[in-house]
Amino acid sequence: MTQQYGMKKYMRGALLLTLAALVVKVLSAVYRVPFQNLVGDEGFYVYQQVYPFISFFVVWTSGGFAIAISKMLADTADINRKRSISKIIFSYLTVLSLVFFSLLFFGAQMLAYWMGDEKLAPLLQTGAFVALCMPTLALLKGTFQAKGAMEPVAYAQVFEQLIRVLVILGGTVLVMHTSKSIYAAGNVAVLGAVVGEIAGIMLLLFYIRKQLNGNCHVIKINIWAVIKDVTLFSLSVSLSSLMLLGFQLVDSFTVYTSLLEQGMPMEQAMVQKGIYDRGQPLVQLGVVIASSLSLAIVPLIAQKIKTAGRGAMPFVQLTYRTALLFGTAATFGLIITMPYVNELLFTTADLSAVLMVVVVQIIPFSLILTFTAILQGYGKLKIPALIVAAGFIVKWLSNIWLLPTIGIIGAALASNFGLFLSAIFLMLYIKRIVNVSLAPLVFYKTLAAASIAMVIAVKVSAFLFHVLLSAIDGRTQAAIMSGVLILIGASTFITIIAKSRILKEKEWFLIPFGRRMALYQLWLNKRK
């Protein structure tokens, strides 16, 4: 009975951690909309240029290192060995954080020069302080997770992000009403990340203060083995997220400078890069389903692999099908409504064609999130890392080739090339491991039919409503059109998927928030 209660408590904590991660991802995407509205496309360019540098440390700490630490501590029964591992990892992370801090703080001028905008240097220096939070935050989160105490970690993650968003938006409003400097607004936004990390540490320290125990001593263990394990596992856990940040880093170094080299005025180049960066929050929102799947279903896969071998296959197939299903729906939905969504969220419909290409990233990135998480469950780390690295190289080389040739849309295409290449090779690697079909042919046919039907329904509705709303223009029309078309498109897609039953009702119940879809599918197929 005690064991059952413990498992129930653990699952409740895991669910809470999943929900917290989803809230953080949604907040991370959503706050960019009011921020862009406050600072304009030039100000958005400023923030997005330095954002990948800062987020690299946050993602690696909150995601990768914390989970790696929790695994290593959970796999160790001896309390003295746990203390030794914690001490080694904390010392290692302290060295890493000081190295990263020095690179960003003292190398800020050089990095800003390479990005083509030396005014970005103070923002990089402010962001460097995020690295100093890394050792404490990672160790605290990892320690709680190792004990199965997920609640403090979940609360800290949400608290971090809330504080970050409040500082960013509150500080930006203040700056834009006083100095109106887009670089000062960007600096405040970067400061928000630092303050958020400190807030998370303070909350975790509040939770852990009564759990400190001085009755154990440190024992000697292999230092390099611990460092190797925590580094490899942390990188594998956060691989997919770090990949997307790596792509954004490539854009930070190449897009703006390429536009300047083509003779574009500085202000126009800033605006174009800022508009191009509008695609990032859209992509983040588009992959929320895949993120929730990798967080919720993949632990089941890992458990089945340990206990039942091939019993994991149905979960692998379900995760793949659902990620592809919703990734495709989000992509096509955003493409056909982009002009309206673009104007509604970001005040203008500029470069909507470019953003249509950007959001195609949702499909391969949803699959990459899923594949890397599944492979992690199988204990496969090296090959996925090499595949992701190859995708990164393709992105970099494609940017260098396409940007001077076809302009900023080349950067969007380069990201798609790199992501699709990685997704395809990861799929081939998984199929070699599991040696089963991930989905039958009827699944792909139904998915294609639902996508085509959604596009037709939205296009016809857009024509009709555009005529009806011709007297209204601007963001009001965009708001009405976006809401109506998204509702029509989603209803069409979901109805065809439910009617076809390509996912069974019992499978929907395994998916986060899939209960309503299961009930709708049952109702729809019982109708005469």
Side-chain angles (χ1 to χ4, degrees):
M1 180 67 105
T2 304
Q3 185 179 3
Q4 186 180 11
Y5 173 76
M7 178 56 70
K8 284 177 68 177
K9 183 180 179 183
Y10 177 82
M11 292 305 293
R12 178 180 171 275
L15 177 61
L16 184 62
L17 200 60
T18 300
L19 291 173
L22 288 176
V23 170
V24 169
K25 288 179 183 297
V26 171
L27 282 174
S28 179
V30 169
Y31 82 81
R32 285 177 170 82
V33 175
F35 179 75
Q36 186 274 345
N37 283 215
L38 286 167
V39 299
D41 291 316
E42 289 184 47
F44 200 48
Y45 143 85
V46 169
Y47 176 62
Q48 285 294 135
Q49 284 290 92
V50 299
Y51 169 80
F53 293 92
I54 313 308
S55 290
F56 181 90
F57 303 116
V58 175
V59 168
W60 197 11
T61 304
S62 301
F65 267 112
I67 294 173
I69 291 168
S70 70
K71 181 181 183 299
M72 293 178 71
L73 294 181
D75 290 345
T76 304
D78 183 78
I79 187 67
N80 295 318
R81 186 174 177 83
K82 284 179 188 282
R83 181 62 61 89
S84 299
I85 290 173
S86 297
K87 183 178 179 182
I88 291 168
I89 291 174
F90 185 79
S91 300
Y92 171 54
L93 286 178
T94 300
V95 173
L96 273 184
S97 68
L98 290 173
V99 170
F100 291 143
F101 172 82
S102 300
L103 287 173
L104 269 186
F105 191 86
F106 299 108
Q109 291 290 344
M110 182 175 292
L111 290 170
Y113 174 77
W114 287 342
M115 287 190 284
D117 188 349
E118 295 185 33
K119 292 181 181 178
L120 296 173
L123 282 75
L124 291 170
Q125 290 179 324
T126 300
F129 288 93
V130 166
L132 299 181
C133 301
M134 187 166 68
T136 304
L137 192 60
L139 191 61
L140 287 172
K141 286 185 176 181
T143 302
F144 275 116
Q145 287 178 241
K147 296 175 181 177
M150 307 298 187
E151 289 87 348
V153 180
Y155 299 147
Q157 285 184 193
V158 175
F159 188 58
E160 283 173 43
Q161 194 67 11
L162 281 174
I163 295 298
R164 178 181 183 180
V165 170
L166 288 173
V167 172
I168 288 173
L169 296 183
T172 301
V173 169
L174 184 63
V175 169
M176 296 312 290
H177 277 81
T178 52
S179 68
K180 300 187 186 301
S181 167
I182 57 173
Y183 289 95
N187 212 346
V188 167
V190 173
L191 180 64
V194 181
V195 175
E197 296 288 282
I198 294 171
I201 290 172
M202 291 176 67
L203 185 63
L204 289 171
L205 287 173
F206 171 79
Y207 277 111
I208 209 170
R209 73 190 192 284
K210 293 182 180 180
Q211 300 183 27
L212 296 176
N213 186 353
N215 296 326
C216 52
H217 60 276
V218 175
I219 61 174
K220 286 187 176 183
I221 56 177
N222 190 325
I223 294 175
W224 296 113
V226 171
I227 289 174
K228 177 188 172 185
D229 288 346
V230 76
T231 302
L232 290 178
F233 195 78
S234 66
L235 285 173
S236 70
V237 168
S238 50
L239 193 62
S240 52
S241 297
L242 292 177
M243 180 187 191
L244 201 60
L245 288 171
F247 279 30
Q248 293 178 45
L249 270 175
V250 172
D251 287 334
S252 292
F253 283 113
T254 57
V255 173
Y256 178 67
T257 53
S258 179
L259 295 176
L260 291 179
E261 288 169 3
Q262 293 170 44
M264 189 177 289
M266 184 176 67
E267 292 79 8
Q268 188 181 345
M270 286 183 179
V271 169
Q272 278 220 359
K273 176 62 166 56
I275 296 172
Y276 168 78
D277 286 330
R278 294 178 186 180
Q280 292 306 323
L282 298 177
V283 171
Q284 279 186 285
L285 287 174
V287 299
V288 161
I289 296 293
S291 298
S292 66
L293 282 171
S294 62
L295 287 166
I297 294 182
V298 169
L300 291 175
I301 295 173
Q303 182 186 14
K304 289 290 182 180
I305 291 168
K306 289 179 181 178
T307 59
R310 294 187 65 82
M313 290 308 104
F315 294 99
V316 171
Q317 293 168 326
L318 175 60
T319 308
Y320 166 74
R321 292 171 192 174
T322 313
L324 182 58
L325 193 72
F326 285 102
T328 302
T331 298
F332 281 99
L334 281 170
I335 287 173
I336 55 183
T337 59
M338 183 56 72
Y340 306 110
V341 171
N342 193 13
E343 185 172 2
L344 169 65
L345 297 179
F346 303 109
T347 71
T348 71
D350 296 341
L351 295 183
S352 289
V354 174
L355 295 179
M356 289 178 191
V357 178
V358 171
V359 296
V360 173
Q361 295 176 26
I362 294 171
I363 294 176
F365 190 54
S366 294
L367 295 178
I368 289 168
L369 275 170
T370 304
F371 289 151
T372 52
I374 290 171
L375 289 167
Q376 180 192 325
Y378 277 94
K380 305 294 183 181
L381 308 178
K382 293 181 181 179
I383 299 299
L386 291 174
I387 291 172
V388 167
F392 175 80
I393 293 169
V394 168
K395 162 65 176 175
W396 188 292
L397 295 176
S398 298
N399 259 33
I400 294 171
W401 169 47
L402 292 174
L403 275 167
T405 309
I406 56 177
I408 200 162
I409 199 171
L413 289 170
S415 294
N416 292 343
F417 292 162
L419 289 170
F420 270 108
L421 181 74
S422 297
I424 289 168
F425 277 98
L426 285 169
M427 181 189 293
L428 294 173
Y429 184 53
I430 280 186
K431 290 184 77 171
R432 195 178 77 177
I433 292 171
V434 301
N435 197 28
V436 294
S437 173
L438 295 176
L441 184 60
V442 67
F443 173 85
Y444 298 107
K445 288 181 177 179
T446 305
L447 180 57
S451 301
I452 293 168
M454 177 175 65
V455 171
I456 293 171
V458 170
K459 285 292 184 182
V460 171
S461 302
F463 176 77
L464 295 175
F465 279 97
H466 190 73
V467 173
L468 292 172
L469 299 173
S470 57
I472 307 172
D473 56 8
R475 294 184 85 176
T476 304
Q477 186 193 71
I480 297 171
M481 292 289 282
S482 296
V484 171
L485 296 180
I486 289 171
L487 181 62
I488 291 171
S491 300
T492 303
F493 187 89
I494 287 171
T495 300
I496 293 173
I497 294 299
K499 189 67 178 175
S500 68
R501 297 186 74 243
I502 57 173
L503 289 185
K504 302 296 184 273
E505 290 78 18
K506 65 179 181 180
E507 292 178 315
W508 283 114
F509 276 105
L510 288 171
I511 296 168
F513 317 112
R515 180 183 176 86
R516 292 184 183 275
M517 185 66 186
L519 295 174
Y520 177 60
Q521 185 163 297
L522 281 169
W523 172 81
L524 193 66
N525 285 286
K526 282 182 180 178
R527 295 183 65 193
K528 300 295 183 185

